[in-house]
Amino acid sequence: MQDDGRKVPTHELTYARLRDMVLFGDLAPGQPVTIQGLIRDLDAGMTPVREALRRLIAEGALVLQDNRRVSVPRLTAGMLDELAFARAAIEPRLAELAAPHVDAAGQARLAAIDADIEPAIRAGDIHTYLCLNHAFHFALYEQANAPVLLDLARSLWLRFGPALRAVVALYGPSGLPDRHAEALAALAAGDAAGVARAMAADIADGVGLVHQALEAGQV
């Protein structure tokens, strides 16, 4: 793997792969994993796996159960309320800041990502749906030139992602509301506040479904 012509260090690659396993729900909430199992699944050495675990535990994406096992934390109603509050504060602001910087090429890129979501929904391809949904949000947020807010948003998605995967598995991708079309229309109109509203509604819709699943004991 290359990054600007340079080889990505093994520890960074291992961290990115394990982060994505958490983010896109390949590790279910409460599912314990061992270091040896991750070494096998990631095809990585002991040192980079331990470093990746250390970073993700520090970020709250994983919890240490004992000296040999870690797991994705189970989401509680209180934790969901905190995540919902933080996402609703940070992500619409990122979207509003980003909007003036999204030129025609940027809008086309976002539209292309969104266009690929519908085939994933029709195919019931949960993993692809989750990857593309994440890609849409962060292709927008990355244009905000707000690195502190962007880092916070990435951390929040790490904590929210596993529960979202569980909900998509319950309802199917077609059961999730999607406000991307509204965001794209607002971008085309130069309406930064409208982009923020669309992202706020998108977040609220997803959080609402997770709340329902929690109350039903399904997450």
Side-chain angles (χ1 to χ4, degrees):
M1 183 175 177
Q2 300 290 321
D3 181 24
D4 295 331
R6 294 171 294 179
K7 183 176 177 61
V8 177
T10 300
H11 70 278
E12 288 292 343
L13 181 58
T14 302
Y15 166 78
R17 292 176 64 190
L18 183 55
R19 178 201 62 208
D20 285 355
M21 288 175 68
V22 174
L23 180 61
F24 301 124
D26 296 323
L27 300 177
Q31 174 189 345
V33 294
T34 63
I35 291 175
Q36 290 299 327
L38 290 173
I39 288 171
R40 180 189 64 247
D41 293 343
L42 297 169
D43 191 24
M46 175 75 77
T47 299
V49 167
R50 284 187 179 277
E51 172 63 15
L53 286 171
R54 184 193 65 76
R55 290 174 63 180
L56 288 165
I57 289 169
E59 291 170 348
L62 293 172
V63 292
L64 182 64
Q65 292 185 327
D66 55 41
N67 289 334
R68 298 176 63 91
R69 292 178 183 274
V70 296
S71 67
V72 176
R74 292 187 181 277
L75 196 62
T76 66
M79 291 167 60
L80 179 57
D81 286 343
E82 290 186 53
L83 288 170
F85 175 84
R87 289 191 64 196
I90 291 169
E91 293 180 49
R93 179 58 175 161
L94 277 168
E96 187 171 24
L97 290 171
H101 303 290
V102 182
D103 58 13
Q107 291 179 39
R109 180 187 174 205
L110 287 165
I113 294 170
D114 195 49
D116 287 339
I117 289 177
E118 183 59 33
I121 290 174
R122 288 198 303 269
D125 187 342
I126 294 173
H127 183 80
T128 298
Y129 167 81
L130 291 170
C131 290
L132 290 170
N133 182 57
H134 178 272
F136 182 93
H137 281 257
F138 283 90
L140 174 62
Y141 299 160
E142 286 166 1
Q143 301 306 307
N145 298 321
V148 173
L149 294 180
L150 184 63
D151 283 348
L152 289 170
R154 292 190 190 283
S155 177
L156 293 169
W157 273 65
L158 264 177
R159 293 170 181 255
F160 188 76
L164 183 61
R165 169 63 182 256
V167 167
V168 176
L170 285 170
Y171 299 114
S174 61
L176 283 181
D178 179 327
R179 306 298 184 114
H180 297 175
E182 295 173 28
L184 288 168
L187 283 169
D191 180 6
V195 180
R197 286 193 298 271
M199 290 295 95
D202 191 84
I203 292 162
D205 290 342
V207 168
L209 285 177
V210 175
H211 262 301
Q212 290 178 30
L214 272 175
E215 290 172 358
Q218 296 173 314
V219 176

